[in-house]
Amino acid sequence: MDFKHLKDIRKSKNMTLTVLGERTGYSASFLSQIERGLNRPSIEALRKICSELDIEVASLLAGHEEVNHSTTIETRNGYKIFREPEDTLYQPWQSSSTVYHTLFNMPISSDNMIATKMIIEPHSSSSGQLISHNLSEINYVIRGTATIELNNEKLELKEGDAIYLDSYTNHNISNETELPLVIFTMQF
């Protein structure tokens, strides 16, 4: 995925690369590389950039500035329920056969946590190849059977199974069945 539209968003906010760099802690050169498609930022970098540009990470990944936000319902005792609108979906760069329902900017206690519900179509995968990133993750199978490829090993997870992956673990989640696979992923 390229983030060339990030430049248009930044300019629409009348912000220079230097100012954005000062606010995020990243160099103007690094930010320019992201805008020109020469560098792929981490989720943490995207969070900082989007926070300063006052846009949702999910919006940036979807290729536009606005998405419908989750509705927050606060209970009498202070617990929060997050109800996601039906159209907060995006299909990121990895695979066109995987749909992500994301709560990227959910107001939770940690700025470094991403909660996502993935729907992987039959005979496809989350990324099409082994990938790694700087976040640890827990994948919980809600419906279906997942095949998790870890380097040279394949594991099968059934409904109710979960797996923890350390950061920078090469992995790919695939659906080798005839039915859609639904997984809840927590990255932190």
Side-chain angles (χ1 to χ4, degrees), residues 42-185:
S42 67
I43 293 293
E44 183 179 343
L46 286 177
R47 281 174 181 255
K48 288 180 180 180
I49 293 165
C50 288
S51 176
E52 290 304 322
L53 294 175
D54 196 30
I55 62 169
E56 302 267 350
V57 174
S59 301
L60 182 65
L61 293 173
H64 50 81
E65 268 191 70
E66 298 298 327
V67 295
N68 291 335
H69 301 278
S70 299
T71 301
T72 304
I73 303 165
E74 191 157 345
T75 67
R76 186 173 32 151
N77 296 320
Y79 296 104
K80 291 184 178 163
I81 299 168
F82 302 97
R83 185 149 298 135
E84 186 176 335
E86 290 297 316
D87 57 351
T88 54
L89 306 177
Y90 75 100
Q91 290 181 300
W93 59 95
Q94 290 108 332
S95 172
S96 62
S97 58
T98 302
V99 174
Y100 294 74
H101 295 260
T102 184
L103 302 172
F104 269 105
N105 291 340
M106 189 168 73
I108 50 182
S109 60
S110 170
D111 288 337
N112 296 320
M113 185 161 48
I114 301 166
T116 309
K117 180 175 74 171
M118 276 192 294
I119 302 170
I120 303 175
E121 294 300 320
H123 305 288
S124 59
S125 73
S126 60
S127 58
Q129 62 186 4
L130 288 173
I131 61 165
S132 67
H133 46 72
N134 64 340
L135 300 171
S136 296
E137 67 182 63
I138 296 171
N139 294 292
Y140 174 80
V141 178
I142 297 171
R143 187 173 61 235
T145 301
T147 301
I148 312 286
E149 185 180 356
L150 303 168
N151 295 318
N152 294 322
E153 185 176 8
K154 280 191 174 185
L155 306 173
E156 186 175 277
L157 275 67
K158 298 191 179 296
E159 288 182 21
D161 290 348
I163 189 167
Y164 169 81
L165 303 175
D166 279 322
S167 57
Y168 299 106
T169 298
N170 286 322
H171 65 286
N172 183 36
I173 303 171
S174 61
N175 178 3
E176 298 177 358
T177 72
E178 300 295 327
L179 301 171
L181 169 64
V182 181
I183 294 180
F184 178 75
T185 299

Side-chain angles (χ1 to χ4, degrees), residues 7-26:
K7 181 177 183 178
D8 296 329
I9 295 169
R10 176 181 55 78
K11 285 190 167 196
S12 76
K13 311 278 182 178
N14 295 317
M15 191 178 299
T16 65
L17 284 170
T18 303
V19 170
L20 183 59
E22 289 169 357
R23 292 182 180 175
T24 60
Y26 297 114

